Amino acid sequence: MARWLDDRSKSEALRILKWLFHDVFERNAEGGVNLHSWGEPETSSSLLVSRLSLHCDITPRTAQTLVRRALIDSFKADPTSPSRFVEALSGLESSFLRKPLEGFVLLTSLSARDLHDFPTIRLDGATFTFSRFPPPRFGTPDLVVRHRWNDKRFFSRTAVRVHVRARDPMDAADLALQRLELLRSFWNLGLHRGIWSIRMGDDVPPINKIRLGPIHTVHYPDGSSARDSFWYEPDFREGEFTETLGEEKKGKLREMETWCRTRLRRVPDRRKVEGLWIRYCQALDQRNRANAFLQTWAILEDLTGNPSRYDQLIRRASYLYSDRWYVRLQLEEMRRRRNELVHKGSNEEHPERMTFVLKGIVEHYLLFMLRNPKIVGSPQALAAFLAQPTDVGARAQQMRRLQLAADVMKR
């Protein structure tokens, strides 16, 4: 059932809703809704989604769709009472979740020539099947043919089919792409962990070696198209290099994938941890190193609990290192660079070196969560762990206080 995340979220959301109902929406003669502000309710729905808690099966795209519909439905029902929005949204959420699950297949490709001999992989409800080309039964949507993508989409790449169960084709595409991003995060970590590749110039390739192909289509299990449309990668470059990995590299990525999949099953707050891994993969897909750096820094902020002060973030982000003083100096440099990129728009120098240093720190904490799922199996638990004092005397005093509290509770 839809609900607000907390009282502050509710207060902010009600202010948005009152503005929409009073200044943006207007009933027309046909019983529909006219809009007085361009871009609404698209923008406001994004703001509302970030303040809501919905069922874990609701993907971000579906959440946006449901919120937009709930805005219009609740206004039509009672334009004077925006508080009925959550009631309308809960009804739409329940209706969506009652829809039966169906089998769908996302068909896409990966930027490596020799992954087609991989066995079938199962990860979090998705099944991945690899081949040099897709089976003939998979038809090509007319829109793909008209855009002349059909002959290019599998050239020098590996075809991959992601089998999922979802409630509609759009939901299936979102779910399948999320699972594929999660798999790619493990694979790419296995390939580039501990490796630096400093490039000069503006046209540098992404850090990730295994990236998505140009377009993705959704099909039914018999191969027929579920939608006459396709999803595309806006940053794709037609002539970009695709490599042959070789047996050694394939062994490394399979080893990392197997280890991560096994550990991830033990994580209590699995969805949130998966979300961090997916964002890590997407950050390292960026061609622009400044964008990759900023997105990776945002992940570090979430891993450390988004503290209000930078000194707290830096102290927590250096907690696991024996040479904390040196890591803190590096993080201070990164913080200054981050602020220059965000506030001044400075992009004279690509933050190549710092991106790789930051990438290593984020990987260290992501893997630490998988190694210790019972203690730090959620971003909140990790942040609380990192907030502990680093001084030996302070830690000993904290342990004595905890022991005293435990003794008091037993009385």
Side-chain angles (χ1 to χ4, degrees):
M1 188 180 210
R3 59 179 177 82
W4 302 116
L5 290 174
D6 48 45
D7 289 340
R8 179 179 177 181
S9 296
K10 180 179 179 180
S11 175
E12 293 170 341
L14 287 175
R15 186 174 181 181
I16 295 170
L17 290 166
K18 288 177 182 177
W19 171 72
L20 288 170
F21 279 34
H22 186 267
D23 296 336
V24 178
F25 294 168
E26 180 185 59
R27 277 182 172 172
N28 55 36
E30 291 76 26
V33 178
N34 292 333
L35 304 178
H36 292 295
S37 178
W38 184 85
E40 299 296 347
E42 189 69 37
T43 303
S44 55
S45 65
S46 177
L47 295 172
L48 292 170
V49 165
S50 66
R51 289 160 173 79
L52 284 161
S53 173
L54 298 170
H55 192 278
C56 61
D57 286 348
I58 304 291
T59 64
R61 191 198 304 268
T62 300
Q64 291 267 46
T65 301
L66 296 179
V67 165
R68 286 195 298 269
R69 286 175 54 192
L71 283 172
I72 302 301
D73 290 352
S74 59
F75 179 78
K76 287 180 179 179
D78 187 353
T80 65
S81 179
S83 59
R84 297 186 62 178
F85 163 78
V86 171
E87 181 183 344
L89 179 60
S90 296
L92 292 170
E93 180 187 27
S94 298
S95 297
F96 179 80
L97 293 172
R98 282 196 298 268
K99 292 171 66 174
L101 293 170
E102 298 181 74
F104 292 96
V105 182
L106 179 83
L107 177 61
T108 185
S109 58
L110 297 172
S111 62
R113 294 185 178 93
D114 56 343
L115 297 176
H116 57 273
D117 58 350
F118 271 13
T120 297
I121 296 173
R122 291 177 177 82
L123 173 62
D124 200 14
T127 301
F128 302 87
T129 308
F130 308 92
S131 57
R132 182 65 188 85
F133 295 99
R137 73 176 187 274
F138 282 86
T140 304
D142 292 339
L143 199 59
V144 175
V145 176
R146 291 199 296 272
H147 282 76
R148 300 180 180 178
W149 273 112
N150 196 41
D151 295 334
K152 304 173 184 177
R153 62 190 300 201
F154 303 110
F155 179 73
S156 295
R157 297 180 183 87
T158 297
V160 57
R161 284 160 281 152
V162 187
H163 304 253
V164 295
R165 291 182 62 78
R167 292 173 174 84
D168 57 43
M170 295 285 287
D171 192 45
D174 289 343
L175 180 61
L177 285 170
Q178 284 179 7
R179 298 298 182 263
L180 186 54
E181 301 284 54
L182 184 61
L183 179 65
R184 284 199 309 116
S185 70
F186 302 153
W187 279 359
N188 281 299
L189 178 62
L191 290 175
H192 56 54
R193 185 186 180 203
I195 296 175
W196 283 42
S197 178
I198 304 301
R199 304 291 184 94
M200 304 301 291
D202 294 327
D203 190 18
V204 295
I207 294 174
N208 281 339
K209 299 295 184 184
I210 300 178
R211 301 184 294 280
L212 294 174
I215 62 172
H216 331 295
T217 53
V218 179
H219 304 257
Y220 293 110
D222 64 2
S224 60
S225 297
R227 283 179 65 92
D228 187 24
S229 61
F230 60 88
W231 288 255
Y232 71 97
E233 293 300 311
D235 207 24
F236 176 80
R237 296 190 181 179
E238 188 173 335
E240 79 171 356
F241 175 72
T242 57
E243 61 179 293
T244 302
L245 296 174
E247 294 305 315
E248 182 179 353
K249 288 184 178 179
K250 288 197 291 185
K252 286 182 179 179
L253 66 87
R254 284 308 308 274
E255 182 181 356
M256 180 60 72
E257 168 224 317
T258 302
W259 186 88
C260 289
R261 280 196 296 122
T262 302
R263 293 282 178 164
L264 190 59
R265 296 192 195 105
R266 307 171 188 173
V267 174
D269 203 349
R270 181 169 175 168
R271 286 286 179 261
K272 288 185 179 178
V273 174
E274 286 179 352
L276 292 171
W277 279 93
I278 290 170
R279 287 170 54 198
Y280 157 80
C281 181
Q282 293 170 342
L284 301 185
D285 276 345
Q286 299 295 314
R287 292 183 180 280
N288 185 298
R289 284 291 189 270
N291 291 340
F293 175 80
L294 290 173
Q295 290 185 26
T296 308
W297 182 269
I299 298 170
L300 183 67
E301 289 180 335
D302 284 347
L303 286 167
T304 54
N306 287 293
S308 57
R309 302 203 322 258
Y310 272 123
D311 62 326
Q312 293 177 331
L313 184 150
I314 289 172
R315 186 174 64 81
R316 294 179 187 183
S318 59
Y319 188 87
L320 293 183
Y321 292 88
S322 57
D323 52 348
R324 296 188 190 97
W325 66 272
Y326 185 65
V327 176
R328 287 179 183 177
L329 291 177
Q330 290 179 309
L331 288 164
E332 276 290 352
E333 183 185 5
M334 293 180 209
R335 180 191 65 81
R336 287 192 294 270
R337 182 60 172 146
R338 180 260 178 199
N339 288 345
E340 287 176 0
L341 289 169
V342 171
H343 300 300
K344 300 180 182 178
S346 173
N347 198 20
E348 297 176 1
E349 175 191 350
H350 294 294
E352 184 86 3
R353 176 183 59 83
M354 284 187 287
T355 300
F356 276 92
V357 174
L358 179 59
K359 163 186 172 297
I361 293 173
V362 166
E363 290 168 355
H364 191 41
Y365 283 92
L366 288 173
L367 291 171
F368 181 72
M369 294 177 76
L370 296 188
R371 290 192 185 100
N372 304 276
K374 292 184 179 180
I375 301 173
V376 290
S378 71
Q380 294 82 1
L382 176 65
F385 177 84
L386 299 177
Q388 297 178 105
T390 56
D391 178 75
V392 175
R395 281 205 302 267
Q397 186 177 15
Q398 184 183 48
M399 291 176 65
R400 288 192 292 270
R401 285 198 300 266
L402 290 173
Q403 184 59 54
L404 177 61
D407 293 341
V408 169
M409 294 300 292
K410 289 179 182 178
R411 295 173 186 171

